[in-house]
Amino acid sequence: MAFDSLSAFLMMGKHGVYVWSAYGFSALALIWLVWNTLSTRQKTRNILRKRFVRSQTR
Amino acid sequence: MRWVWFHKLASPKWFYSWSNFWALPVFCFGCLCLAIGLVWGLAFAPEDYQQGNSFRIIYIHVPVAMLAQSCYLALGVASFVFLVWQMKMAPIFIKAMAPIGAVMALIALVSGAIWGKPTWGTWWVWDARLTSVLVLFFLYMGIIALQSALDDLVLANKAAAVISVVGLINLPIIKYSVVLLETLHQGPTFTLTKKPEMPPEMWLPLLCAVIGLYSFVAGLVLWRMQSEILMREHRSSWVKQEVMENGL
Amino acid sequence: MTYFSFVRAEFLVLWRRKQDVLNALLFFVIVVVLFPIGIDSSSEFLTPAASGIIWCATVLAVLMAVDSLFKEDYRDGSLEQLVVCGLSLPLLILLKVIAQWLAVILPLLVIMPLLGEMLYLSSASLWALMVTLLVGSPSLFFMGVIGAALTVSIKQGAILVMLLILPFYLPVIIFSTLAVKAAQAGLPYSGFLAMLLAMSLLSLVLSPFMTAIAVKASVN
Amino acid sequence: MTYFSFVRAEFLVLWRRKQDVLNALLFFVIVVVLFPIGIDSSSEFLTPAASGIIWCATVLAVLMAVDSLFKEDYRDGSLEQLVVCGLSLPLLILLKVIAQWLAVILPLLVIMPLLGEMLYLSSASLWALMVTLLVGSPSLFFMGVIGAALTVSIKQGAILVMLLILPFYLPVIIFSTLAVKAAQAGLPYSGFLAMLLAMSLLSLVLSPFMTAIAVKASVN
Amino acid sequence: MHSFASLTVSDLWIERAERDLCKGLSFSVQSGDVVRILGENGAGKSSLLKVIVGILSPLQGQIVYSGEDVTVDRRFLQQDVIYLGHSSGIKPQLTVIENLRWYCPDASPSALHEVLESLELIDHIDVPVKKLSAGQARRVALSRLWLGKKTLWLLDEPFASLDVRGVELLEACIRQHASVGGLVLLTTHQDLPSLSTRDVALLS
Amino acid sequence: MHSFASLTVSDLWIERAERDLCKGLSFSVQSGDVVRILGENGAGKSSLLKVIVGILSPLQGQIVYSGEDVTVDRRFLQQDVIYLGHSSGIKPQLTVIENLRWYCPDASPSALHEVLESLELIDHIDVPVKKLSAGQARRVALSRLWLGKKTLWLLDEPFASLDVRGVELLEACIRQHASVGGLVLLTTHQDLPSLSTRDVALLS
Ligand code: HEM
Ligand SMILES: Nc1ncnc2c1ncn2[C@@H]1O[C@H](COP(=O)(O)OP(=O)(O)OP(=O)(O)O)[C@@H](O)[C@H]1O
Ligand SMILES: Nc1ncnc2c1ncn2[C@@H]1O[C@H](COP(=O)(O)OP(=O)(O)OP(=O)(O)O)[C@@H](O)[C@H]1O
Ligand SMILES: [Mg+2]
Ligand SMILES: [Mg+2]
């Protein structure tokens, strides 16, 4: 462990803002990417399912 | 036959079931590796004697910057394959890859800019590396914009492939040309020929994060390609079976 | 249709629109003039910036010209006809681009000395600038048509073309302004010229084929 | 057709083309980036030139947007329909321009801080720049549409519009850059803003009528 | 039911590309009339319709609509007209239903659906018009006729690119409009004997 | 006199906007045939012509022209074809005569004049096409048929916006072409009983 305490870890010397904002942004972007991927996956399936059901009932 | 796997890859159905098996493990392995690398780098790696703790941004910055470039390379190669051999999977790959690459370039830009403030004293400088990543981001956005502007599938496939191949040829030229502008950014850490100059407890977590992010992106690409395959092959019976019978 | 009648029709259309050629020139001049007015008109600012300003304006003018290259042909259906006429599409495209290049760049070179004077450019660097324009601008056209062909079926495509193509123009701009800067400092600049020439030739060879693929995909 | 359904259709078309709005933004950014790369990337050059560069890029983006405002409507015949629908043509034009202004300028204001940072602009002058954009850009649009309406029936009109309209834009550019320079020097700049506002209001009042005349003359 | 309307054109001269068209044409039509304008290619049929609706100005002559002289200011006429030119005035990026809502904001959803049903466009209701075939796009433009409540219809070759069924539908619609007091001026090169109550011939 | 030519289309499927068109269409035509493609609006007539000439690619099927399989590479066919789509492929800035010279550089001036004379365009020979009426512009596009020496004609609604005289002229021209060994595929919604030797029906 390079830090003595949790608060020191959060402060990162005097660079806490920079480090955590960089990581925060990166995390948000990566999470968005994952969410977007999974939701398109789900959406495609739903669209296709609806389409198949419709073509069956006709 | 040595080329059987290649021909199999070209078959959407085979690819779908193959990726169905691999996507989740690859993605999970990527998440795990990335998490280990980041926690290790953030909490355990020693402080840099020059930059202090701000250097810890490296553990996200470098993997992401590497991915931004690798994604484009993959995109360009796939486009070339498509234009020459008309391989059906290639445009699906391009469609899946472009947004990921764009996000990677964006994170590289943002994390780099944030890192620049404490080390260089400014968010942005017009330096070779930075500028070429910015251009890379524009290239990605161009491909995405083109694909979304063209609602004709055949045209969109060809168009994205053409523009990424041209980009592939041009990327080295762009890189070379911006190098002629002055530079602030440091050189590569990992090279094949030399040992890294950093101590191992600094670069090991970095390596871990890099491998993790590659794997993470691979998983995502497989998933994205799956959605695209389903949409494009919707008239074939296996898609119908897949969608109607398998839950997720 | 033969290659010859195609070229004749191209030049006829250009001739019918000679006003447009003049307009492109004036547009170029106005963009160049925008800078002294909008930013700073002292020679300390203008002399070093001149070649960059002129190249930026050229790039914009080329993009505007290139964007409309296939648009009209697409709309009136003559692009379809080019695809199905049985002649080699890449060759037709090459001819078309060359005609357009002549119509846009030659007049621009003619008024360059004037602009150079207005931007306080020394005659040595003016020469360098003109040579870079002559050698570098073909690559602008050849790269630009790829984008133009890709977006021909999109109504409001001008901006998309610029978005797609401008990143590719950066090296050309950089090499050219470096060449002019070298000339200004009295250094040799043939290396940069060689780079520009190489890019022009490369794009001349590759672009017609890429563009043909794009055109074929666009008419449907 | 009613005013309401007209506005709804306008926004629908804009929404269908939301990608275009993003593209316009990216185009703007790329044009701005052209300058540091093509001319000089040192802060001694960029800081004083920033406001001029951004205004020049804005002017180009506005001209591109304005040029295509009536083009498509002309081509598919819906401009004819606007003329003969019995509603007030100037009012329809006003609504159309406002919709377009919202779609182009608002996103631009949002990314302005980023660009300011990249061009090493101080935060005081960044604010001044944004205010001049907000106050001055309506006049760009209102003057631009007159030109766009005049040239709507000409195929390759983009360049002609620019040519017609750019001279009228010069005062706007000059006042804006003066305002930003004053802000950079810590001087008051509300006088310039008042001028910009006056120009915007004047053009808002006059332009729809002029444009209506031009549109009527163009459809035939 | 429309209130009584009439259109009188007297001594009309139109100049187009330095040629005189119409050359003193005069005619008068009123509620219930379906008038076919006849003439060769280039005789000036489209130009005549454009002059009546106010897109072009005549060189000379007078146009009176329902007792009001609209030669100079065409607004009174424009409030009561549907004009369909060679180009259809449909936005290709918008879907079929969006285009209709644009032109006929007051029409109820059920009315819209009914019309699209009868025009066989109901399957394409959410397709952008640029992805329709020529005849389908024409049908979208024509659907205004079923929905709008205007008296005077000026139709320039409305039957172009319609199939047999489409022509039948449109004929029926035009006849129905005339029977409730509407007034239709149209140009066509097709031979539709039972359609028009009156012809106006343009010589060239 | 054209040498013997034949066109065979077998098991053709076309995909357009996620809908299947043609659905396994097969037909075969040869020199001397005038074939009318019938179908409702949106049946896929224009798409079929575009596939044959190579503007679109089929989903599945085979196209053979004069014994050569052109499904993948349409060049052999393209050297021998005149295709006229919904839009006419005429440059509006160029004058009538310039447009003709563009398409038919080998035609002698006297041949050009003769054709323009018979199409009643001779007065407009130096007028830019954008200043012509719809039917006149159509005639300019069609004049290629009189001048070109190609065997296979693919015509998409060639009679649109032509007046009675124009229709007659074009009909005669098509019949003449077939009689010297030409091969004509056309779509039309008009009822021209004596024109075609054979019909191909597209179901939708
Ligand atoms: C927006 C700003 C920045 C961008 C776009 C950027 C971009 C890049 C790129 C493209 C790489 C190469 C990755 C690879 O392929 O190996 C990289 C690596 C690196 N960057 Fe940045 N960078 C930025 C700012 C910074 C700053 C401010 C620092 C710290 C002072 C920094 C430190 C590093 C380091 C140490 C590497 C690793 C070198 C290597 O292993 O290749 N970067 N960056
Ligand atoms: N550009 C396009 N993009 C996508 N789909 C299209 C396009 N053009 C037509 N379609 C679709 O293809 C189908 C067939 O169109 P096509 O133009 O071939 O019909 P057509 O038989 O020529 O009809 P018409 O008689 O109206 O000309 C239509 O249902 C339409 O929805
Ligand atoms: N935009 C234009 N500018 C100048 N002249 C035109 C224009 N359009 C048509 N003309 C001229 O006006 C004359 C009449 O054209 P108009 O379009 O009214 O004919 P039309 O009767 O509708 O013919 P068609 O049956 O071919 O549609 C033509 O001879 C043509 O030369
Ligand atoms: Mg007409
Ligand atoms: Mg059709």
Side-chain angles (χ1 to χ4, degrees):
Chain A
M1 194 72 178
F3 297 97
D4 304 331
S5 64
L6 186 66
S7 67
F9 179 57
L10 291 178
M11 291 298 291
M12 291 258 164
K14 53 187 190 304
H15 295 132
V17 194
Y18 300 114
V19 175
W20 292 119
S21 61
Y23 276 88
F25 178 84
S26 310
L28 280 184
L30 291 181
I31 287 168
W32 176 83
L33 203 56
V34 174
W35 171 81
N36 179 271
T37 304
L38 294 179
S39 76
T40 14
R41 209 170 122 85
Q42 200 54 47
K43 248 186 257 161
T44 341
R45 283 169 168 274
N46 288 343
I47 291 171
L48 288 178
R49 192 171 298 143
K50 254 185 226 148
R51 199 183 284 174
F52 290 140
V53 168
R54 213 185 326 145
S55 67
Q56 267 167 4
T57 53
R58 262 203 201 156
Chain B
M1 283 290 288
R2 274 162 62 221
W3 284 96
V4 168
W5 64 272
F6 188 75
H7 290 295
K8 273 192 181 163
L9 270 186
S11 142
K13 182 181 178 200
W14 189 86
F15 185 90
Y16 188 88
S17 48
W18 179 82
S19 59
N20 225 7
F21 178 76
W22 281 106
L24 192 62
V26 167
F27 179 76
C28 289
F29 171 76
C31 283
L32 192 71
C33 250
L34 191 60
I36 292 174
L38 293 187
V39 171
W40 189 356
L42 271 175
F44 297 96
E47 197 170 307
D48 188 78
Y49 70 97
Q50 259 185 336
Q51 300 189 4
N53 282 314
S54 74
F55 105 99
R56 290 177 201 279
I57 295 177
I58 199 175
Y59 297 109
I60 191 70
H61 173 75
V62 170
V64 156
M66 288 172 88
L67 250 299
Q69 298 168 23
S70 304
C71 286
Y72 200 88
L73 188 66
L75 209 64
V77 171
S79 307
F80 185 77
V81 168
F82 176 63
L83 289 181
V84 176
W85 291 291
Q86 302 290 316
M87 190 169 146
K88 218 175 172 180
M89 292 302 299
I92 298 177
F93 179 75
I94 298 170
K95 182 102 191 269
M97 199 48 146
I100 298 180
V103 170
M104 292 301 149
L106 186 66
I107 302 179
L109 283 170
V110 172
S111 61
I114 293 174
W115 196 0
K117 192 67 185 171
T119 43
W120 301 336
T122 164
W123 300 100
W124 184 261
V125 286
W126 294 97
D127 134 294
R129 273 267 178 89
L130 276 59
T131 308
S132 62
V133 174
L134 186 63
V135 173
L136 195 63
F137 177 67
F138 289 145
L139 291 179
Y140 280 123
M141 291 313 284
I143 295 171
I144 294 170
L146 191 62
Q147 264 178 340
S148 75
L150 300 169
D151 36 25
D152 184 85
L153 199 62
V154 182
L155 175 53
N157 286 347
K158 286 256 172 74
V162 165
I163 205 71
S164 12
V165 161
V166 175
L168 194 62
I169 301 166
N170 248 301
L171 208 54
I173 302 179
I174 294 175
K175 282 201 104 161
Y176 171 67
S177 68
V178 289
V179 166
L180 295 177
L181 306 171
E182 68 265 45
T183 184
L184 257 184
H185 198 285
Q186 59 234 76
T189 316
F190 296 120
T191 54
L192 288 177
T193 49
K194 274 191 301 186
K195 258 187 75 177
E197 284 168 20
M198 291 186 198
E201 58 272 34
M202 272 169 131
W203 63 258
L204 269 179
L206 182 56
L207 190 64
C208 198
V210 169
I211 293 171
L213 196 66
Y214 267 99
S215 180
F216 173 92
V217 164
L220 282 183
V221 166
L222 290 183
W223 273 332
R224 288 182 155 258
M225 287 174 76
Q226 283 192 330
S227 322
E228 203 52 37
I229 289 174
L230 286 186
M231 214 51 181
R232 291 185 186 205
E233 300 284 314
H234 66 91
R235 55 179 71 247
S236 53
S237 56
W238 70 265
V239 171
K240 190 163 179 176
Q241 197 182 347
E242 165 71 28
V243 171
M244 299 307 277
E245 283 168 16
N246 297 3
L248 183 94
Chain C
M1 208 186 304
T2 60
Y3 293 111
F4 176 71
S5 79
F6 172 78
V7 171
R8 189 174 53 191
E10 282 304 310
F11 275 106
L12 258 175
V13 172
L14 283 174
W15 178 246
R16 278 283 170 291
R17 299 211 210 118
K18 47 191 175 304
Q19 186 62 44
D20 279 348
V21 173
L22 190 67
N23 289 347
L25 204 64
L26 283 171
F27 163 71
F28 175 80
V29 174
I30 293 188
V31 170
V32 169
V33 169
L34 226 58
F35 291 94
I37 295 177
I39 302 180
D40 190 346
S41 57
S42 65
S43 76
E44 300 82 65
F45 168 80
L46 286 177
T47 308
S51 70
I53 293 174
I54 284 179
W55 262 93
C56 289
T58 310
V59 159
L60 291 174
V62 168
L63 275 174
M64 306 281 300
V66 154
D67 169 58
S68 62
L69 199 59
F70 298 119
K71 275 267 157 64
E72 279 176 48
D73 289 6
Y74 175 75
R75 237 169 250 130
D76 58 36
S78 51
L79 198 59
E80 260 179 8
Q81 297 292 343
L82 294 191
V83 173
V84 305
C85 70
L87 302 178
S88 152
L89 189 56
L91 189 51
L92 291 178
I93 289 169
L94 184 69
L95 293 171
K96 204 177 169 76
V97 174
I98 290 175
Q100 188 78 6
W101 181 80
L102 288 175
V104 173
I105 294 297
L106 288 191
L108 220 144
L109 286 177
V110 172
I111 57 156
M112 203 47 68
L114 226 100
L115 288 179
E117 205 56 54
M118 284 170 71
L119 298 180
Y120 309 116
L121 209 58
S122 72
S123 72
S125 33
L126 178 67
W127 269 112
L129 180 62
M130 285 174 71
V131 175
T132 60
L133 267 178
L134 194 66
V135 172
S137 61
S139 67
L140 298 185
F141 275 86
F142 284 112
M143 290 194 253
V145 283
I146 301 179
L150 288 174
T151 56
V152 78
S153 62
I154 303 167
K155 299 277 154 126
Q156 204 188 22
I159 284 188
L160 189 55
V161 179
M162 303 210 167
L163 182 64
L164 279 176
I165 296 301
L166 270 179
F168 296 117
Y169 283 3
L170 290 181
V172 184
I173 301 178
I174 293 174
F175 288 127
S176 308
T177 49
L178 285 177
V180 179
K181 272 182 193 156
Q184 244 156 359
L187 302 172
Y189 55 89
S190 54
F192 298 120
L193 286 186
M195 277 304 296
L196 288 175
L197 192 62
M199 282 167 67
S200 284
L201 289 179
L202 186 71
S203 59
L204 182 145
V205 173
L206 290 182
S207 151
F209 294 98
M210 294 294 187
T211 312
I213 295 175
V215 166
K216 272 189 197 150
S218 288
V219 295
N220 66 359
Chain D
M1 209 187 304
T2 59
Y3 292 110
F4 177 71
S5 80
F6 172 78
V7 171
R8 190 176 51 190
E10 282 303 310
F11 275 106
L12 254 176
V13 172
L14 282 175
W15 178 246
R16 278 280 169 295
R17 301 211 209 117
K18 49 190 176 306
Q19 182 70 43
D20 279 349
V21 173
L22 187 66
N23 290 350
L25 202 66
L26 284 168
F27 162 71
F28 176 81
V29 176
I30 295 186
V31 170
V32 169
V33 167
L34 226 58
F35 291 95
I37 294 179
I39 303 180
D40 190 344
S41 58
S42 66
S43 74
E44 299 84 66
F45 167 78
L46 286 177
T47 308
S51 70
I53 292 175
I54 283 178
W55 261 94
C56 289
T58 309
V59 161
L60 289 175
V62 169
L63 278 173
M64 306 284 298
V66 154
D67 168 59
S68 62
L69 199 59
F70 298 119
K71 276 264 158 66
E72 280 176 49
D73 289 5
Y74 174 74
R75 236 167 250 133
D76 58 38
S78 51
L79 197 61
E80 262 181 7
Q81 296 293 341
L82 293 190
V83 173
V84 305
C85 72
L87 302 177
S88 153
L89 190 55
L91 189 50
L92 290 178
I93 288 168
L94 184 68
L95 292 172
K96 206 177 167 75
V97 175
I98 290 176
Q100 190 77 7
W101 182 80
L102 287 175
V104 174
I105 294 296
L106 288 192
L108 221 144
L109 286 177
V110 171
I111 56 154
M112 203 47 71
L114 232 97
L115 289 177
E117 201 58 51
M118 290 174 89
L119 300 179
Y120 311 118
L121 207 61
S122 73
S123 69
S125 32
L126 178 67
W127 271 111
L129 180 61
M130 285 173 72
V131 176
T132 59
L133 268 178
L134 194 65
V135 173
S137 61
S139 67
L140 298 186
F141 274 87
F142 284 111
M143 289 193 253
V145 283
I146 304 178
L150 282 172
T151 57
V152 78
S153 62
I154 301 166
K155 297 274 154 133
Q156 204 188 21
I159 286 183
L160 189 56
V161 178
M162 302 206 170
L163 203 61
L164 279 176
I165 294 302
L166 270 178
F168 295 101
Y169 282 4
L170 288 181
V172 183
I173 300 178
I174 293 173
F175 284 125
S176 306
T177 48
L178 283 179
V180 179
K181 273 184 191 151
Q184 245 157 357
L187 302 172
Y189 54 91
S190 54
F192 298 119
L193 287 186
M195 278 303 297
L196 287 175
L197 192 62
M199 284 166 65
S200 283
L201 289 178
L202 187 70
S203 60
L204 182 145
V205 173
L206 291 181
S207 151
F209 295 97
M210 303 292 214
T211 312
I213 295 172
V215 165
K216 271 185 198 152
S218 287
V219 295
N220 63 0
Chain E
M1 233 21 212
H2 300 281
S3 61
F4 184 82
S6 69
L7 176 72
T8 308
V9 168
S10 35
D11 189 29
L12 196 72
W13 291 73
I14 302 173
E15 186 180 3
R16 209 83 216 269
E18 298 180 12
R19 252 167 261 249
D20 281 341
L21 303 173
C22 292
K23 298 190 181 164
L25 182 77
S26 301
F27 65 92
S28 168
V29 291
Q30 60 199 42
S31 277
D33 277 344
V34 176
V35 178
R36 201 160 49 141
I37 301 168
L38 295 179
E40 301 179 355
N41 288 145
K45 303 179 293 302
S46 306
S47 307
L48 175 61
L49 291 186
K50 284 185 182 175
V51 166
I52 293 176
V53 77
I55 291 173
L56 289 178
S57 297
L59 199 62
Q60 173 184 326
Q62 203 188 23
I63 300 167
V64 177
Y65 182 67
S66 292
E68 193 138 336
D69 186 340
V70 291
T71 317
V72 179
D73 183 350
R74 228 57 65 86
R75 253 175 297 173
F76 173 69
L77 182 149
Q78 284 173 353
Q79 258 136 30
D80 206 23
V81 77
I82 293 184
Y83 165 77
L84 287 178
H86 280 300
S87 57
S88 53
I90 289 293
K91 294 199 189 248
Q93 310 90 347
L94 293 189
T95 64
V96 173
I97 188 84
E98 286 163 356
N99 264 301
L100 286 190
R101 283 216 209 93
W102 173 40
Y103 276 115
C104 313
D106 319 322
S108 68
S110 65
L112 289 178
H113 275 255
E114 200 177 307
V115 169
L116 291 178
E117 189 87 59
S118 75
L119 285 174
E120 289 156 27
L121 287 170
I122 199 81
D123 287 347
H124 302 267
I125 193 162
D126 284 327
V127 177
V129 171
K130 67 179 165 189
K131 291 196 171 179
L132 294 182
S133 80
Q136 288 169 333
R138 190 91 213 167
R139 283 164 186 240
V140 177
L142 289 170
S143 54
R144 283 172 67 190
L145 299 180
W146 275 263
L147 293 164
K149 302 270 175 290
K150 306 297 174 83
T151 311
L152 178 60
W153 290 1
L154 302 175
L155 311 177
D156 203 352
E157 298 197 30
F159 297 103
S161 58
L162 287 184
D163 60 13
V164 183
R165 176 98 190 95
V167 173
E168 270 173 22
L169 283 168
L170 180 58
E171 257 194 282
C173 175
I174 288 174
R175 223 172 282 128
Q176 153 74 12
H177 181 63
S179 72
V180 298
L183 208 174
V184 182
L185 241 74
L186 58 88
T187 75
T188 178
H189 293 297
Q190 291 188 32
D191 192 29
L192 300 162
S194 62
L195 179 65
S196 64
T197 58
R198 192 119 73 85
D199 290 349
V200 169
L202 294 184
L203 305 175
S204 68
Chain F
M1 237 12 219
H2 300 281
S3 60
F4 182 81
S6 69
L7 176 72
T8 308
V9 168
S10 34
D11 189 28
L12 196 72
W13 292 72
I14 302 173
E15 185 181 4
R16 210 87 214 267
E18 299 187 8
R19 252 167 260 249
D20 281 340
L21 303 173
C22 291
K23 298 191 180 165
L25 182 77
S26 302
F27 65 90
S28 168
V29 291
Q30 60 202 41
S31 277
D33 278 344
V34 176
V35 179
R36 199 160 49 139
I37 301 168
L38 296 179
E40 302 179 354
N41 287 145
K45 302 179 294 301
S46 306
S47 307
L48 175 61
L49 291 186
K50 285 184 182 179
V51 165
I52 293 176
V53 78
I55 291 172
L56 288 179
S57 296
L59 198 63
Q60 172 185 327
Q62 202 189 21
I63 301 168
V64 177
Y65 183 67
S66 292
E68 194 139 334
D69 186 338
V70 291
T71 317
V72 178
D73 184 350
R74 227 58 63 86
R75 254 174 296 174
F76 174 69
L77 183 149
Q78 285 173 354
Q79 256 136 30
D80 205 22
V81 78
I82 294 185
Y83 164 79
L84 287 179
H86 280 299
S87 55
S88 52
I90 288 294
K91 296 198 189 248
Q93 311 90 346
L94 294 189
T95 65
V96 174
I97 188 85
E98 286 164 355
N99 264 301
L100 284 190
R101 281 215 211 94
W102 173 42
Y103 276 115
C104 312
D106 318 321
S108 67
S110 66
L112 289 178
H113 276 255
E114 199 177 308
V115 169
L116 290 178
E117 189 87 58
S118 75
L119 285 174
E120 289 155 28
L121 286 170
I122 200 80
D123 288 346
H124 301 267
I125 193 162
D126 285 327
V127 177
V129 171
K130 67 179 166 193
K131 290 198 174 176
L132 295 182
S133 79
Q136 288 167 334
R138 190 91 213 167
R139 282 163 186 240
V140 178
L142 289 170
S143 54
R144 282 173 68 191
L145 299 180
W146 275 264
L147 293 164
K149 300 269 173 292
K150 307 296 173 85
T151 312
L152 178 61
W153 289 1
L154 302 175
L155 312 177
D156 204 352
E157 298 197 27
F159 298 103
S161 61
L162 287 184
D163 61 10
V164 183
R165 176 96 190 98
V167 172
E168 269 170 25
L169 283 170
L170 181 56
E171 254 192 287
C173 175
I174 288 175
R175 224 173 280 129
Q176 153 74 12
H177 181 63
S179 73
V180 298
L183 209 175
V184 182
L185 242 74
L186 57 87
T187 75
T188 178
H189 294 297
Q190 291 188 32
D191 194 29
L192 299 162
S194 62
L195 178 65
S196 63
T197 57
R198 192 116 74 84
D199 290 349
V200 170
L202 294 184
L203 305 175
S204 67

